[in-house]
Amino acid sequence: MITYEEHRLRSLVDEGRWIDLLGAYRQARAAAVALDLANGGPVDGDPADGDLTGSDLTGSDPADRRRTVATAIAASAAQSRAGIATAALGHLIAFAAPPEVAARLFDADGGPGTAAGVADHDAGPLWEVLATRHTWRRLAPLLGPPPVRRLVAQTRVLLGEDLSRGAEPDPEGVPLLLEPWESVGRAEGMPVREYLRQGGSRSALLTLPASREGLARVELPEPGVRLPGQPATRALAELAGWARTVCVRGPAAGAAAQLAPGPLVTGGYLPFALAWPALVQAGIADRAHGAAHGRLALWRVLTAMTGVQRPESADRAEVRALVARMRCFTWDDPADRLRHLHLALEDPATGLSWAVSGSEEV
């Protein structure tokens, strides 16, 4: 049964009345937030960035602090659920509206609860939908919130745009132009989803190994000695939260031996450029995340492997040198499900290797 509201929205779409559709989106999102909070929605999220500051808590007693934190968490959770409730309309506006209208999805000028956040998604995050539709030159003057600007810019870079002279520097120093190995990897498999007007998306399932072609039967050595507490291991675990990670002293095959199903595997070496697409996609298993999240997370892994503690302090020349000398080993696991990643990364200069291995249904 088609409701009056659905019929009205379809009429607005047919007539190209995008400002009215934006108003309907904002009204519905604000109403969903207010209703959720009025009903005492479950506290199942984390405070959004910027919800709490030191001044919010300083000088308050423990009971006040608990109430402040609980209120922030409830508000964040309400925003998240409101984003889900209005995701389909937001997707349509991000996809089809003129950029001058679509970019206003993220503006707070409509009042509390009306603006889409970076986690609002349907088939994928709304900012990524928008980024696939227009160039940075069109979008840059229109986008306000810094987190949205950053993710849109990184998406445009992944789509092949050179923003090294046309955008503000990335706060972590991630290049605004694809490195050579990223360009090769992009040609092998595009991690950015292809979105459809009426909702949904298409994307390649990028796995490692993608097939057994080029692999051979390999006997792995004894597992390397684990080195706990390595920053790069934590960064790799954050990239692929559904997989196991380990760092060892020794070659890539010794790291693989820590996670492989047995000493005999079907495996082989490959250039880092061919591993890049699957690593980027590993970071976007959640539909609220886009390919920009995967690229940023992978750069954190690489900078941590160079020994830098803070990504913004990294020397990009060192990262390039690391990738140039890195040895990458992949292997097959007979128990693999649809999404899988089995990769060991060896830095011959330090004698350290990292491995990441896991599989899951999509």
Short mmCIF file of all heavy atoms in Angstrom, two decimals, residues 81-135:
data_model
loop_
_atom_site.label_atom_id
_atom_site.label_comp_id
_atom_site.label_asym_id
_atom_site.label_seq_id
_atom_site.Cartn_x
_atom_site.Cartn_y
_atom_site.Cartn_z
N ARG A 81 20.29 6.00 14.77
CA ARG A 81 19.05 5.34 14.36
C ARG A 81 18.22 6.23 13.44
O ARG A 81 17.55 5.75 12.52
CB ARG A 81 18.25 4.94 15.61
CG ARG A 81 18.85 3.71 16.30
CD ARG A 81 17.96 3.25 17.45
NE ARG A 81 18.05 4.14 18.59
CZ ARG A 81 18.96 4.03 19.56
NH1 ARG A 81 19.84 3.06 19.52
NH2 ARG A 81 18.97 4.87 20.58
N ALA A 82 18.28 7.55 13.64
CA ALA A 82 17.57 8.47 12.74
C ALA A 82 18.19 8.42 11.35
O ALA A 82 17.49 8.50 10.34
CB ALA A 82 17.62 9.89 13.30
N GLY A 83 19.51 8.27 11.31
CA GLY A 83 20.18 8.17 10.02
C GLY A 83 19.73 6.95 9.24
O GLY A 83 19.56 7.00 8.02
N ILE A 84 19.50 5.86 9.95
CA ILE A 84 19.02 4.64 9.29
C ILE A 84 17.60 4.84 8.79
O ILE A 84 17.24 4.43 7.68
CB ILE A 84 19.10 3.46 10.27
CG1 ILE A 84 20.57 3.14 10.61
CG2 ILE A 84 18.41 2.22 9.69
CD1 ILE A 84 20.75 2.14 11.72
N ALA A 85 16.78 5.50 9.59
CA ALA A 85 15.37 5.69 9.23
C ALA A 85 15.20 6.55 7.99
O ALA A 85 14.24 6.39 7.24
CB ALA A 85 14.62 6.31 10.41
N THR A 86 16.12 7.47 7.75
CA THR A 86 16.00 8.38 6.62
C THR A 86 17.02 8.10 5.52
O THR A 86 17.20 8.89 4.60
CB THR A 86 16.18 9.83 7.09
OG1 THR A 86 17.46 9.94 7.78
CG2 THR A 86 15.07 10.24 8.05
N ALA A 87 17.67 6.94 5.59
CA ALA A 87 18.79 6.65 4.70
C ALA A 87 18.39 6.61 3.23
O ALA A 87 19.12 7.11 2.37
CB ALA A 87 19.43 5.32 5.09
N ALA A 88 17.25 6.02 2.91
CA ALA A 88 16.86 5.88 1.50
C ALA A 88 16.66 7.24 0.84
O ALA A 88 17.12 7.47 -0.29
CB ALA A 88 15.59 5.04 1.40
N LEU A 89 15.99 8.17 1.54
CA LEU A 89 15.79 9.49 0.98
C LEU A 89 17.12 10.24 0.89
O LEU A 89 17.40 10.94 -0.10
CB LEU A 89 14.80 10.28 1.83
CG LEU A 89 14.48 11.70 1.36
CD1 LEU A 89 14.01 11.72 -0.08
CD2 LEU A 89 13.43 12.33 2.28
N GLY A 90 17.96 10.10 1.91
CA GLY A 90 19.28 10.73 1.86
C GLY A 90 20.11 10.23 0.71
O GLY A 90 20.82 10.99 0.04
N HIS A 91 20.03 8.92 0.45
CA HIS A 91 20.77 8.32 -0.67
C HIS A 91 20.33 8.94 -1.99
O HIS A 91 21.15 9.30 -2.84
CB HIS A 91 20.54 6.80 -0.69
CG HIS A 91 21.19 6.11 -1.85
ND1 HIS A 91 22.37 5.41 -1.72
CD2 HIS A 91 20.83 5.99 -3.16
CE1 HIS A 91 22.71 4.91 -2.91
NE2 HIS A 91 21.78 5.26 -3.79
N LEU A 92 19.03 9.06 -2.18
CA LEU A 92 18.50 9.62 -3.42
C LEU A 92 18.97 11.06 -3.63
O LEU A 92 19.37 11.43 -4.74
CB LEU A 92 16.97 9.56 -3.42
CG LEU A 92 16.26 10.18 -4.63
CD1 LEU A 92 16.65 9.44 -5.90
CD2 LEU A 92 14.75 10.17 -4.43
N ILE A 93 18.93 11.85 -2.57
CA ILE A 93 19.36 13.25 -2.68
C ILE A 93 20.86 13.31 -2.99
O ILE A 93 21.30 14.06 -3.86
CB ILE A 93 19.03 14.02 -1.39
CG1 ILE A 93 17.51 14.11 -1.21
CG2 ILE A 93 19.66 15.41 -1.41
CD1 ILE A 93 17.08 14.65 0.14
N ALA A 94 21.66 12.52 -2.28
CA ALA A 94 23.10 12.52 -2.51
C ALA A 94 23.44 12.09 -3.93
O ALA A 94 24.38 12.58 -4.54
CB ALA A 94 23.79 11.60 -1.50
N PHE A 95 22.66 11.16 -4.47
CA PHE A 95 22.94 10.61 -5.80
C PHE A 95 22.47 11.54 -6.91
O PHE A 95 23.20 11.78 -7.88
CB PHE A 95 22.25 9.25 -5.96
CG PHE A 95 22.57 8.56 -7.26
CD1 PHE A 95 23.58 7.62 -7.33
CD2 PHE A 95 21.87 8.86 -8.43
CE1 PHE A 95 23.89 6.99 -8.53
CE2 PHE A 95 22.17 8.24 -9.64
CZ PHE A 95 23.18 7.31 -9.68
N ALA A 96 21.26 12.06 -6.80
CA ALA A 96 20.61 12.68 -7.95
C ALA A 96 20.43 14.18 -7.86
O ALA A 96 20.21 14.83 -8.90
CB ALA A 96 19.25 12.02 -8.20
N ALA A 97 20.47 14.76 -6.69
CA ALA A 97 20.23 16.20 -6.57
C ALA A 97 21.43 16.98 -7.09
O ALA A 97 22.57 16.48 -7.09
CB ALA A 97 19.95 16.57 -5.12
N PRO A 98 21.24 18.22 -7.51
CA PRO A 98 22.38 19.08 -7.86
C PRO A 98 23.31 19.18 -6.65
O PRO A 98 22.86 19.15 -5.50
CB PRO A 98 21.73 20.43 -8.18
CG PRO A 98 20.31 20.10 -8.53
CD PRO A 98 19.94 18.91 -7.69
N PRO A 99 24.62 19.30 -6.89
CA PRO A 99 25.56 19.32 -5.76
C PRO A 99 25.29 20.43 -4.76
O PRO A 99 25.53 20.26 -3.57
CB PRO A 99 26.93 19.48 -6.43
CG PRO A 99 26.64 20.00 -7.80
CD PRO A 99 25.32 19.43 -8.18
N GLU A 100 24.75 21.56 -5.24
CA GLU A 100 24.46 22.67 -4.34
C GLU A 100 23.39 22.29 -3.31
O GLU A 100 23.36 22.85 -2.21
CB GLU A 100 23.97 23.89 -5.14
CG GLU A 100 25.02 24.52 -6.02
CD GLU A 100 25.26 23.76 -7.31
OE1 GLU A 100 24.49 22.82 -7.63
OE2 GLU A 100 26.23 24.10 -8.01
N VAL A 101 22.53 21.34 -3.67
CA VAL A 101 21.51 20.85 -2.74
C VAL A 101 22.03 19.64 -1.97
O VAL A 101 21.89 19.56 -0.75
CB VAL A 101 20.21 20.48 -3.50
CG1 VAL A 101 19.18 19.90 -2.53
CG2 VAL A 101 19.64 21.70 -4.20
N ALA A 102 22.63 18.70 -2.68
CA ALA A 102 23.07 17.45 -2.05
C ALA A 102 24.08 17.70 -0.94
O ALA A 102 24.04 17.04 0.11
CB ALA A 102 23.65 16.52 -3.10
N ALA A 103 24.98 18.65 -1.13
CA ALA A 103 26.00 18.94 -0.10
C ALA A 103 25.37 19.46 1.18
O ALA A 103 25.96 19.33 2.27
CB ALA A 103 27.02 19.93 -0.64
N ARG A 104 24.17 20.03 1.10
CA ARG A 104 23.51 20.58 2.29
C ARG A 104 22.94 19.47 3.19
O ARG A 104 22.48 19.77 4.29
CB ARG A 104 22.41 21.54 1.86
CG ARG A 104 22.94 22.82 1.20
CD ARG A 104 21.82 23.76 0.81
NE ARG A 104 21.07 24.20 1.99
CZ ARG A 104 19.91 24.84 1.90
NH1 ARG A 104 19.36 25.09 0.73
NH2 ARG A 104 19.29 25.22 3.01
N LEU A 105 22.99 18.22 2.73
CA LEU A 105 22.61 17.12 3.61
C LEU A 105 23.41 17.16 4.91
O LEU A 105 22.92 16.76 5.97
CB LEU A 105 22.85 15.77 2.93
CG LEU A 105 21.84 15.30 1.90
CD1 LEU A 105 22.42 14.11 1.12
CD2 LEU A 105 20.53 14.91 2.56
N PHE A 106 24.65 17.64 4.83
CA PHE A 106 25.57 17.59 5.97
C PHE A 106 25.64 18.91 6.74
O PHE A 106 26.38 19.01 7.71
CB PHE A 106 26.96 17.19 5.48
CG PHE A 106 26.95 15.94 4.64
CD1 PHE A 106 26.96 16.02 3.25
CD2 PHE A 106 26.87 14.70 5.23
CE1 PHE A 106 26.93 14.88 2.48
CE2 PHE A 106 26.83 13.55 4.46
CZ PHE A 106 26.85 13.64 3.08
N ASP A 107 24.88 19.91 6.29
CA ASP A 107 24.88 21.21 6.97
C ASP A 107 23.89 21.20 8.13
O ASP A 107 22.79 20.66 8.01
CB ASP A 107 24.50 22.33 6.00
CG ASP A 107 25.61 22.60 5.00
OD1 ASP A 107 26.73 22.12 5.21
OD2 ASP A 107 25.34 23.29 3.99
N ALA A 108 24.27 21.85 9.22
CA ALA A 108 23.42 21.89 10.41
C ALA A 108 22.51 23.11 10.43
O ALA A 108 21.87 23.40 11.44
CB ALA A 108 24.29 21.89 11.66
N ASP A 109 22.41 23.82 9.29
CA ASP A 109 21.60 25.05 9.29
C ASP A 109 20.10 24.77 9.36
O ASP A 109 19.30 25.69 9.53
CB ASP A 109 21.92 25.91 8.06
CG ASP A 109 21.70 25.18 6.75
OD1 ASP A 109 21.28 24.01 6.76
OD2 ASP A 109 21.97 25.79 5.69
N GLY A 110 19.71 23.49 9.26
CA GLY A 110 18.30 23.16 9.38
C GLY A 110 17.83 22.99 10.81
O GLY A 110 16.63 22.83 11.06
N GLY A 111 18.77 23.00 11.74
CA GLY A 111 18.40 22.83 13.14
C GLY A 111 18.89 21.52 13.71
O GLY A 111 19.45 20.67 13.00
N PRO A 112 18.69 21.30 15.02
CA PRO A 112 19.18 20.08 15.69
C PRO A 112 18.61 18.81 15.06
O PRO A 112 17.41 18.72 14.79
CB PRO A 112 18.70 20.24 17.13
CG PRO A 112 18.49 21.71 17.30
CD PRO A 112 18.03 22.22 15.97
N GLY A 113 19.49 17.85 14.84
CA GLY A 113 19.05 16.54 14.36
C GLY A 113 18.79 16.45 12.88
O GLY A 113 18.46 15.37 12.38
N THR A 114 18.96 17.53 12.12
CA THR A 114 18.60 17.51 10.71
C THR A 114 19.74 17.12 9.79
O THR A 114 19.52 16.71 8.65
CB THR A 114 18.09 18.90 10.26
OG1 THR A 114 19.12 19.87 10.47
CG2 THR A 114 16.86 19.30 11.06
N ALA A 115 20.98 17.28 10.24
CA ALA A 115 22.13 17.07 9.36
C ALA A 115 22.58 15.62 9.37
O ALA A 115 22.66 14.98 10.43
CB ALA A 115 23.27 17.97 9.79
N ALA A 116 22.90 15.10 8.20
CA ALA A 116 23.50 13.76 8.10
C ALA A 116 24.91 13.81 8.65
O ALA A 116 25.63 14.79 8.49
CB ALA A 116 23.51 13.30 6.64
N GLY A 117 25.30 12.74 9.31
CA GLY A 117 26.66 12.62 9.83
C GLY A 117 27.49 11.70 8.95
O GLY A 117 26.99 11.14 7.97
N VAL A 118 28.75 11.52 9.29
CA VAL A 118 29.62 10.69 8.46
C VAL A 118 29.20 9.22 8.49
O VAL A 118 29.57 8.45 7.62
CB VAL A 118 31.10 10.82 8.90
CG1 VAL A 118 31.61 12.21 8.63
CG2 VAL A 118 31.28 10.43 10.35
N ALA A 119 28.41 8.83 9.50
CA ALA A 119 27.99 7.42 9.59
C ALA A 119 26.64 7.16 8.94
O ALA A 119 26.21 6.00 8.87
CB ALA A 119 27.95 6.98 11.06
N ASP A 120 25.94 8.18 8.47
CA ASP A 120 24.64 7.97 7.82
C ASP A 120 24.85 7.22 6.52
O ASP A 120 25.66 7.63 5.68
CB ASP A 120 23.95 9.31 7.56
CG ASP A 120 23.35 9.92 8.81
OD1 ASP A 120 24.00 9.84 9.86
OD2 ASP A 120 22.24 10.47 8.74
N HIS A 121 24.11 6.15 6.33
CA HIS A 121 24.35 5.31 5.16
C HIS A 121 23.09 4.56 4.74
O HIS A 121 22.17 4.36 5.53
CB HIS A 121 25.45 4.30 5.45
CG HIS A 121 25.07 3.28 6.48
ND1 HIS A 121 25.09 3.55 7.84
CD2 HIS A 121 24.63 1.99 6.37
CE1 HIS A 121 24.69 2.47 8.51
NE2 HIS A 121 24.40 1.52 7.64
N ASP A 122 23.07 4.14 3.52
CA ASP A 122 22.07 3.22 2.99
C ASP A 122 22.85 2.03 2.41
O ASP A 122 23.28 1.17 3.15
CB ASP A 122 21.21 3.91 1.94
CG ASP A 122 20.06 3.03 1.45
OD1 ASP A 122 19.61 2.18 2.24
OD2 ASP A 122 19.64 3.17 0.30
N ALA A 123 23.09 2.04 1.11
CA ALA A 123 23.98 1.02 0.53
C ALA A 123 25.43 1.32 0.85
O ALA A 123 26.30 0.45 0.71
CB ALA A 123 23.77 0.95 -0.98
N GLY A 124 25.69 2.53 1.26
CA GLY A 124 27.00 2.99 1.64
C GLY A 124 26.84 4.38 2.23
O GLY A 124 25.74 4.94 2.21
N PRO A 125 27.90 4.97 2.78
CA PRO A 125 27.77 6.27 3.43
C PRO A 125 27.33 7.33 2.43
O PRO A 125 27.75 7.35 1.27
CB PRO A 125 29.18 6.54 3.98
CG PRO A 125 30.08 5.64 3.21
CD PRO A 125 29.28 4.45 2.83
N LEU A 126 26.49 8.26 2.90
CA LEU A 126 25.94 9.28 2.00
C LEU A 126 27.04 10.16 1.41
O LEU A 126 26.95 10.60 0.26
CB LEU A 126 24.92 10.14 2.75
CG LEU A 126 23.70 9.40 3.33
CD1 LEU A 126 22.69 10.41 3.88
CD2 LEU A 126 23.05 8.49 2.30
N TRP A 127 28.09 10.43 2.19
CA TRP A 127 29.18 11.26 1.65
C TRP A 127 29.89 10.55 0.51
O TRP A 127 30.38 11.21 -0.42
CB TRP A 127 30.18 11.65 2.76
CG TRP A 127 30.72 10.50 3.55
CD1 TRP A 127 30.29 10.06 4.76
CD2 TRP A 127 31.79 9.60 3.17
NE1 TRP A 127 31.02 8.97 5.17
CE2 TRP A 127 31.94 8.67 4.21
CE3 TRP A 127 32.62 9.53 2.05
CZ2 TRP A 127 32.91 7.66 4.16
CZ3 TRP A 127 33.58 8.51 2.00
CH2 TRP A 127 33.71 7.60 3.05
N GLU A 128 29.96 9.21 0.54
CA GLU A 128 30.62 8.51 -0.56
C GLU A 128 29.74 8.53 -1.80
O GLU A 128 30.24 8.65 -2.92
CB GLU A 128 30.97 7.07 -0.16
CG GLU A 128 31.78 6.36 -1.23
CD GLU A 128 32.27 4.99 -0.80
OE1 GLU A 128 31.43 4.08 -0.63
OE2 GLU A 128 33.50 4.83 -0.63
N VAL A 129 28.43 8.38 -1.61
CA VAL A 129 27.51 8.51 -2.74
C VAL A 129 27.72 9.85 -3.42
O VAL A 129 27.87 9.94 -4.65
CB VAL A 129 26.05 8.36 -2.28
CG1 VAL A 129 25.10 8.52 -3.46
CG2 VAL A 129 25.82 7.00 -1.61
N LEU A 130 27.74 10.92 -2.63
CA LEU A 130 27.93 12.26 -3.18
C LEU A 130 29.28 12.38 -3.88
O LEU A 130 29.37 12.95 -4.98
CB LEU A 130 27.83 13.28 -2.04
CG LEU A 130 28.06 14.75 -2.41
CD1 LEU A 130 26.99 15.24 -3.38
CD2 LEU A 130 28.07 15.62 -1.15
N ALA A 131 30.33 11.83 -3.29
CA ALA A 131 31.67 11.95 -3.85
C ALA A 131 31.80 11.25 -5.20
O ALA A 131 32.64 11.64 -6.02
CB ALA A 131 32.70 11.39 -2.87
N THR A 132 31.02 10.20 -5.43
CA THR A 132 31.09 9.49 -6.71
C THR A 132 30.36 10.24 -7.81
O THR A 132 30.49 9.86 -8.99
CB THR A 132 30.51 8.07 -6.59
OG1 THR A 132 29.11 8.15 -6.27
CG2 THR A 132 31.24 7.25 -5.54
N ARG A 133 29.62 11.28 -7.47
CA ARG A 133 28.77 11.95 -8.46
C ARG A 133 29.35 13.26 -9.00
O ARG A 133 28.95 13.70 -10.08
CB ARG A 133 27.40 12.24 -7.83
CG ARG A 133 26.69 11.03 -7.29
CD ARG A 133 26.34 10.06 -8.40
NE ARG A 133 25.38 10.65 -9.33
CZ ARG A 133 25.12 10.16 -10.54
NH1 ARG A 133 25.76 9.10 -10.98
NH2 ARG A 133 24.23 10.76 -11.31
N HIS A 134 30.27 13.88 -8.27
CA HIS A 134 30.75 15.20 -8.67
C HIS A 134 32.25 15.32 -8.38
O HIS A 134 32.77 14.68 -7.47
CB HIS A 134 30.00 16.31 -7.92
CG HIS A 134 28.51 16.18 -8.00
ND1 HIS A 134 27.79 16.54 -9.12
CD2 HIS A 134 27.61 15.72 -7.09
CE1 HIS A 134 26.51 16.31 -8.90
NE2 HIS A 134 26.37 15.82 -7.68
N THR A 135 32.92 16.16 -9.13
CA THR A 135 34.34 16.41 -8.91
C THR A 135 34.56 17.23 -7.65
O THR A 135 33.65 17.88 -7.13
CB THR A 135 34.95 17.17 -10.10
OG1 THR A 135 34.36 18.48 -10.17
CG2 THR A 135 34.72 16.43 -11.41
#
